[in-house]
Every structure is written in structure tokens, then in C-alpha cells.
Amino acid sequence: MGAAQTGVSTDFFILTILLMVNALVATALLLAARSLGQPLVARLLAAAFGCNVVMYIVDVLYIAMFRDSLAMFCLLNVLATLGTMFAAAAMRVRVGLPPKLWIYAAAQVLTLALTLYFWVIDPNKGARGAIVPLMASAMIIWGTLAMWRPGRKLLLGERPMIVTSLAMVTTESIGGIALALRGREPDAFLENVYMFVVFIGLPAMTVALGMFALYLLASDLADKLRRTAETDSLTGAPNRRAIEATGRRVITESATTGRPLCAALCDLDQFKYINDRFGHALGDEVLCSISLLFERHGAKPLHGRYGGEEFLLFFPNRTLIEVHDEVENLRRDVMAIAIAGLPIQITASFGLTQLTPIDTLATLIKRADQALYASKQAGRNRTTIAEPAAARPRQEFASSRA
């Protein structure tokens, strides 16, 4: 009798800890939904931990009053797997993948079918106890693979979440395997393994998952704010701050590797006339079309809106001769842009130069700007190259025009 009471007391103690931890995490995630961004993801994660709270309450009732109730046991298993399904759905929604509800429905049907089989048809306490931890592991893996899949770059906040999720899978799997091996007859060693997993592993992993879920939402917000701070609100291209940061990076890479780097400044011709004569709405559309052209062009320049109607472009690992042909292609493609309601042809002038060992970002852009000025002075709609002499900072301009 005393041993039985001790077992019940231990179960209640473990369940109380797990219930409190999940309730706190669910509350924190509901608050995060109002302040950290990605409210749907935060609510789904809160629902996952909230399901666990309900499950542990039902588990207490099951232990205290309904130990022989098949209906209560089925309800427990449904709630236990539902929580991990909400978590998996949150991970998929967060990265833009469909939740695929039919998979969760099929998992629930399988859970119930196995529960009924090992309760009614082939009574096996260990096997039916193993259903939930093994199914939960499968759901956690399903959600984790949404982030950790080939071709997708991991964000900083995702790494600890993936590691913790895999640790949770390991914990749940060990517990499930221990129960499955236990089978119909009690086994002291396997019982101790399972109790260790439940007593130590589950609370620790639950706390860790909650903490890193909040960290992930916070890092998502920080990443969104960073992108907003570095993105031109009109064109969606990198803004001046971002393209200058890119410039410093590629200059460092060029100096380290010894590979060539070219830079070009592009300025739309007669842009003030377009705004004044045809309106700022059409002018904005022109800027967006130019940015989209640079983004999709085969030359794949690293580009950003430098200011007004100017764009700064970098061409890593290509020589001045190679880039000159690419910039000329860009210039001709600008001329081919057609904007509804704009009856005049769009043209652009370019200033092009190549990095030298003594260049900084400022001197590189200054030389490209001088070449751009030469293009404007020579009649616009052309590309001018600025080639710095080795011995003295003198520009030699060569122009071309279609």
C-alpha cells in the first residue's frame, strides 16, 4: 500500500511540475503573439503548450478516478499528440509551408486505432503507453524538417530550436521504446528508464522548447526589423545603408581573394521631367521597374537604391571588359521598359569602374560617379568607364552608345 501511494504521489508530483511549466510557457507565448510578431505562429505554439496543460489535468483525473476507462485513455492520447501537431503546424506556417492538416488527421486516426488495438484486441500496457511518445517524436521531426531542409539557409534563432527539438525526440523515443520493450509484464529496469525520462527529461525539454520558441519569435522580429531598416520602402531593393554594407563586404572579399570587382552607378535620365510631367505615381513605377530589372537580369548584379533615381551596382569576380558588356545590356534593357501611361522612352546613364588595391568604398563610388557625370555631359543614355591610372588618380573615359 505504501509503495502504491508513493507511486501515485510521484506521478502527481511530476504531472504538477509539467502542468505548471506548460501553463507558464503557453501564457508567455500568448503575450508574445501581441508583441513579438508572427502572431499566428505564436498562437499555434501557445495552443501546443495549452493542449499539454489540458492533457495533464485529464491525466490527474485518469490516475485518481478513471484508471480503467478506455474513453479517458483515448482522450489522453488524443490531447498528447494534438499538442505536438500544433507545434509542427507552427513550424511549417512560420517558414511559409502549408500545414497539411490531412497528415495530422491521419496521425490522430492512427493513434486512436493503435490505442484501441492494444487495449481491446491485444491488451498490452507497455505497447499502448508507447504510442504517444513515439507519435509525438514523429510530429516533432515533421515540424523540425520544415526548417531544416536541403537548400534552406538556417537563421540564427532556428539552430537552438532544432537542437532542442531533436533532444526532445531522443527523450520521447527512449521513453517510448522503454515502454514498448516492457510489454505486458513489469520490468524494474525499464520502469526506471521510463521514470528517469519522465521525471528529468520531459520537464527539462519542455522548459527548453518554451524558452527557445520565445527566442525564435524574438529573433524573427529582430530579423524583420533589420530587413526593414535595410530595404528601400518603394522598390524593395536594398537601401543606401545596405548596399554600402554590401560594397564593404565585397571589397574585403576582393582584397582577400585577389579577384576583380567592378562597380557601377546608374542614374535615370530626365527623371525629374517624368515626375513633373506625368506624375510621381508613374515615376515610382519606373523606379520599381528598374529595380526589378536589376534583380532579374542575367548579370545578377548586387544592387541597391543609392538615392533618388540612382542605383549602385557591384559585379564581383568579373573584369572591367566583362562588366562593360553586361552594363550595356542593362542599359538597352532599360530602354525596352514600357510603362502604361508613360509615352516617352526610359533611358539611363551608367558610370563604371574597377576596384584597385588602394581603393576604399568611398573612392570606388567617387570614381564611378565621375564616370556617370561624364555620361550625362556626353548626352545621356550611355556607359562611361573610369580607369584609374596606376601612378596617379586620373580618369580616362571611354563612352559607348546604342
Side-chain angles (χ1 to χ4, degrees):
M1 182 68 178
Q5 288 178 341
T6 302
V8 171
S9 299
T10 302
D11 287 343
F12 273 103
F13 178 71
I14 295 170
L15 290 172
T16 302
I17 292 175
L18 290 170
L19 191 153
M20 292 177 62
V21 167
N22 280 273
L24 290 171
V25 173
T27 303
L29 285 166
L30 285 175
L31 293 174
R34 304 182 61 182
S35 56
L36 291 184
Q38 301 234 45
L40 177 57
V41 174
R43 291 190 187 105
L44 286 170
L45 289 170
F49 287 94
C51 278
N52 289 345
V53 172
V54 178
M55 177 193 68
Y56 292 127
I57 292 173
V58 173
D59 207 356
V60 169
L61 295 175
Y62 174 77
I63 292 171
M65 301 187 307
F66 302 100
R67 274 195 179 272
D68 296 323
S69 171
L70 173 59
M72 286 293 284
F73 191 79
C74 288
L75 178 60
L76 271 175
N77 283 6
V78 167
L79 289 170
T81 52
L82 188 60
T84 54
M85 290 174 187
F86 274 121
M91 293 299 99
R92 291 183 63 82
V93 169
R94 180 183 162 275
V95 298
L97 295 177
K100 294 190 176 181
L101 298 179
W102 68 269
I103 290 180
Y104 309 131
Q108 285 287 25
V109 170
L110 179 60
T111 298
L112 286 174
L114 290 172
T115 301
L116 292 171
Y117 179 84
F118 288 116
W119 186 291
V120 178
I121 299 174
D122 182 16
N124 187 321
K125 186 176 181 180
R128 65 176 178 252
I131 295 170
V132 166
L134 296 180
M135 186 62 72
S137 297
M139 287 294 102
I140 295 170
I141 291 173
W142 169 248
T144 303
L145 289 177
M147 294 184 290
W148 195 22
R149 63 183 191 272
R152 183 179 181 274
K153 183 180 179 181
L154 287 176
L155 301 177
L156 179 62
E158 294 173 341
R159 292 183 174 90
M161 190 68 176
I162 289 172
V163 171
T164 308
S165 295
L166 294 178
M168 183 63 141
V169 167
T170 303
T171 301
E172 292 273 20
S173 298
I174 291 172
I177 292 170
L179 286 173
L181 292 175
R182 173 186 178 277
R184 296 175 178 84
E185 300 300 328
D187 183 295
F189 173 74
L190 294 174
E191 291 284 354
N192 288 333
V193 170
Y194 177 71
M195 290 302 294
F196 178 81
V197 166
V198 172
F199 190 75
I200 303 295
L202 282 182
M205 291 300 102
T206 301
V207 170
L209 280 174
M211 289 174 54
F212 288 126
L214 291 167
Y215 173 65
L216 182 62
L217 292 171
S219 68
D220 284 346
L221 178 61
D223 188 60
K224 180 181 178 181
L225 293 174
R226 179 189 58 78
R227 289 196 305 270
T228 300
E230 296 180 351
T231 301
D232 177 57
S233 59
L234 173 63
T235 64
N239 59 18
R240 179 166 182 160
R241 172 185 173 182
I243 192 60
E244 285 184 340
T246 298
R248 285 188 284 271
R249 175 177 61 80
V250 293
I251 286 173
T252 300
E253 290 174 357
S254 177
T256 302
T257 63
R259 294 175 179 173
L261 170 67
C262 293
L265 267 175
C266 167
D267 186 89
L268 298 179
D269 297 327
Q270 305 288 3
F271 186 70
K272 185 178 184 303
Y273 171 76
I274 292 175
N275 273 336
D276 293 345
R277 177 70 178 80
F278 302 104
H280 287 273
L282 282 179
D284 290 348
E285 192 171 346
V286 169
L287 290 172
C288 291
S289 297
I290 296 295
S291 178
L292 189 62
L293 169 65
F294 292 154
E295 181 180 337
R296 296 182 175 178
H297 202 272
K300 296 293 182 186
L302 303 172
H303 77 286
R305 188 179 178 191
Y306 196 60
E309 64 270 25
E310 280 191 343
F311 290 85
L312 177 59
L313 304 93
F314 292 101
F315 299 83
N317 306 325
R318 278 169 281 185
T319 64
L320 200 58
I321 295 174
E322 294 170 336
V323 174
H324 178 264
D325 292 338
E326 293 172 358
V327 170
E328 277 292 276
N329 290 334
L330 285 169
R331 185 180 63 81
R332 285 189 284 267
D333 288 343
V334 169
M335 295 170 63
I337 292 175
I339 303 292
L342 187 65
I344 64 173
Q345 185 181 53
I346 303 168
T347 64
S349 301
F350 288 83
L352 176 62
T353 191
Q354 183 169 334
L355 182 74
T356 68
I358 60 172
D359 269 322
T360 63
L361 178 65
T363 59
L364 185 68
I365 294 175
K366 180 179 180 181
R367 197 161 58 249
D369 189 46
Q370 290 172 337
L372 174 61
Y373 180 77
S375 290
K376 294 288 189 180
Q377 291 296 103
R380 303 185 182 89
N381 190 26
R382 64 185 65 225
T383 300
T384 301
I385 298 175
E387 296 188 52
R392 50 196 174 92
R394 180 178 62 85
Q395 281 70 42
E396 299 174 359
F397 298 106
S399 302
S400 58
R401 183 175 182 179

